[in-house]
Amino acid sequence: CSLLPGAKIAALNGEWQLQVGTNQGVAIPLVPGSRITLKIDGARVGGSAACNIYGGTLEVTGTAIRISALSMTEMACQDDVMASEAAYLAVLPQVTTAARDGSSLVLSGPQVELRFALVPPVPNADLVGTAWVLDSVIGGEVVSSTVGEAATLQLNADGTLAGTTGCRAFGARYTVSGSQLQVTDLVTDKRACGTELVGQDAHVLAVIGASPAFTIEGSGLTLTSAAKGLGYRVGAAGS
C-alpha cells in the first residue's frame, strides 16, 4: 500500500466504508446498524457519519491531503451512535496522507488512522417509476434533515407525478427535457401544516414547482432550482 502522489488523487474517488479507525491509540466505536462512509469526488468529500450526512472539501498539496470545511445535517440519534459520529469527525481534519491498495483506502495523520473498504457502485435508479423518499432539504450551503411524515415523490410513465411534503399531498404534470423536469399544473390538497412543517412544505413545493434540474447518482435523486434543492433516496413511505 503506497502513498498516492497528488497527480493521481483521482484514484481515491469512490464511496468507502469505515472498517476500523483509531485516534491516539483509541479505537473509534462502530455501532452495528449504522454506517460511516466517505465519498470522494475530486475536491469534494461527504458521506454518512453514523447518524448525520456530512460534506467537506479535499485539498491536495504534493503528496499531502487535507479534509476541511466540514458541515453536516443536525439529526439526533442514540447516544452510542452520536459518540461514534463525534469520534470519526474529530479524526477527519487530522488526516494528512492517503494510500490506496485496490479496494482498500487508508487515511492517516499524526496518531490517527482510518481504514476503509470500497463500496461497490450502485446502478443509477430510474427517474420514472421509482418510489423516492425525501432525505434532505438543501438551502444554499446548508443541508437539513426532514421533519414530519415521510415525504415522497413518484413520477409516472403517463406524465404525471405525485408526492407529499411531509404535511400534505401534491400532484402535477411533467416532461423531461435533458436534465430538467418541466413541471406544470401543480396542485396541493388544502390541509393546514403545523408550525414545524410550514417551512419544509413551502420548500418542497417551491423546488418542484420551479421545474428543477435533476441528477441521479446510484440510489439518490437531487432536484435543484436556484439556491434550493431536495435530496431523495430510493425507498418507500415509512422507511
Side-chain angles (χ1 to χ4, degrees), residues 66-89:
R66 179 171 177 259
I67 296 174
S68 60
L70 292 174
S71 61
M72 65 177 182
T73 56
E74 299 179 349
M75 292 190 299
C77 295
Q78 296 178 353
D79 289 346
D80 56 349
V81 175
M82 298 303 290
S84 177
E85 175 172 282
Y88 170 68
L89 293 176

Side-chain angles (χ1 to χ4, degrees), residues 44-47 52-56 70-75 134-146 203 222 224 227-232:
R44 298 173 56 193
V45 299
N52 286 280
I53 303 300
Y54 71 96
L70 292 174
S71 61
M72 65 177 182
T73 56
E74 299 179 349
M75 292 190 299
L134 187 63
D135 197 46
S136 57
V137 176
I138 306 161
E141 297 297 319
V142 179
V143 179
S144 304
S145 54
T146 60
H203 190 106
T222 303
T224 55
K228 292 183 178 181
L230 301 168
Y232 289 88

